[in-house]
Amino acid sequence: MTTILSIQSSVAYGHVGNSAATFPLMRMGVEVWPVLTVHFSNHTGYPGWRGPLLRAEDVADVIRGIDERGVLDRCDAVLSGYQGGADVGAVILDAVALVRSRNPSALYCCDPVLGDVGRGVYVRPGIPELMRDRVVPAAQVITPNQFELELLTGLGTTTLPEVLAAAQAARALGPEIVLVTSVVHTDAEPGTIDMVAVSGEGAWRVTTPLLPRTFTGAGDLTAATFLATYLRTRDVAASVAHTAAVVHGVLDVTVRSGQAELQLVAAQDEIAAPTRTFQAVPV
């Protein structure tokens, strides 16, 4: 059975971070060990929220306790998302090193959460540099959105060739696989949005209909789905195609529900077996 150590935030209401990743991973048949970096009432896009930001040493203590069970050799990958501070980033890097010492074939998938179009950078000062200089180079897989790809590489991504060039520049930082999410470019058909995946074996785009709203937590769902699928298939093209189908299915159910939060439970059949398929096209 595939096993993922997922070090992310958690919310009681709604679905972001581990609250967006754990249930979908389980629904896909993956064993998940969730380690929480915060436990908030709801995500911070609301006017207010409550709950604790866990200390870095507490996060490290949880990981140490898992290791004391003697099970980290069964861990196939570490998944991380939003990193609230440099101290938590250091704990995640230590966790990756620990897991890889127990299982050298384990992967590290980093969703380099930094910001988004329309919101700009929404992480603390110093986090973009930490992500670029230390965290991303330690990862085998990264899943930036288009805004984050530009921030990590300093390159514009107006056209599809520019997206591919920026993804290759991100690969030059260390990762083998770069999955770029929420890609909008001048070469796209109107009313569509792309995912673009680049590895040493090639590059692919998957085009899906652009839904008429934005979603909090969709990037967390995307990273988890892609990692789980890649661990099972070791096929980048198949993984990005399946990920696009799952994410589109969940988002479509969410739009039709009229609810603000991702409807993971209502859309759980889309997670297990999406009703639509999309093709990964070589580019």
Side-chain angles (χ1 to χ4, degrees):
M1 179 177 292
T2 301
T3 301
I4 294 174
L5 176 67
S6 182
I7 310 172
Q8 300 195 58
S9 60
S10 175
V11 294
Y13 172 74
H15 298 290
V16 300
N18 262 332
S19 302
T22 300
F23 174 72
L25 287 172
M26 290 179 173
R27 194 66 178 82
M28 288 184 280
V30 174
E31 180 71 23
V32 190
W33 299 334
V35 176
L36 311 185
T37 55
V38 308
H39 186 56
F40 289 163
S41 55
N42 48 269
H43 71 71
T44 58
Y46 287 95
W49 65 92
R50 296 180 182 273
L53 175 68
L54 276 73
R55 299 180 306 162
E57 51 264 41
D58 292 330
V59 178
D61 207 32
V62 172
I63 296 166
R64 187 177 305 111
I66 297 172
D67 187 41
E68 288 170 353
R69 305 285 70 74
V71 296
L72 284 183
D73 61 334
R74 305 207 309 258
C75 182
D76 297 295
V78 177
L79 173 64
S80 73
Y82 174 77
Q83 299 182 13
D87 53 352
V88 173
V91 168
I92 291 172
L93 289 174
D94 287 345
V96 171
L98 178 61
V99 169
R100 289 177 63 81
S101 74
R102 304 292 188 250
N103 177 13
S105 66
L107 300 181
Y108 173 34
C109 177
C110 169
D111 182 8
V113 179
L114 298 170
D116 207 346
V117 174
R119 294 183 63 187
V121 176
Y122 51 67
V123 295
R124 294 179 182 178
I127 295 298
E129 293 79 12
L130 170 74
M131 198 69 70
R132 183 191 63 229
D133 298 338
R134 294 190 59 203
V135 179
V136 166
Q140 288 72 55
V141 182
I142 62 170
T143 61
N145 62 33
Q146 190 171 2
F147 176 89
E148 291 159 345
L149 179 66
E150 292 186 350
L151 195 61
L152 287 170
T153 64
L155 299 175
T157 58
T158 302
T159 67
L160 181 58
E162 289 175 343
V163 173
L164 296 174
Q168 291 290 7
R171 288 187 67 241
L173 296 174
E176 165 61 19
I177 300 168
V178 176
L179 171 65
V180 191
T181 66
S182 305
V183 177
V184 178
H185 54 85
T186 57
D187 307 304
E189 292 292 328
T192 66
I193 193 167
D194 283 354
M195 288 186 188
V196 176
V198 179
S199 76
E201 298 177 352
W204 301 266
R205 67 185 282 198
V206 180
T207 301
T208 60
L210 178 62
L211 296 170
R213 51 165 287 195
T214 58
F215 304 86
T216 302
D220 304 315
L221 171 65
T222 300
T225 303
F226 181 80
L227 176 59
T229 308
Y230 181 72
L231 287 171
R232 186 175 68 247
T233 67
R234 301 291 171 164
D235 184 321
V236 174
S239 298
V240 67
H242 181 74
T243 298
V246 168
V247 173
H248 178 77
V250 171
L251 300 187
D252 186 52
V253 170
T254 300
V255 168
R256 289 188 281 109
S257 75
Q259 299 296 310
E261 297 287 347
L262 295 182
Q263 296 299 293
L264 297 181
V265 176
Q268 62 180 292
D269 290 342
E270 292 290 336
I271 295 168
T275 53
R276 293 191 64 177
T277 58
F278 299 96
Q279 184 178 5
V281 178
V283 290

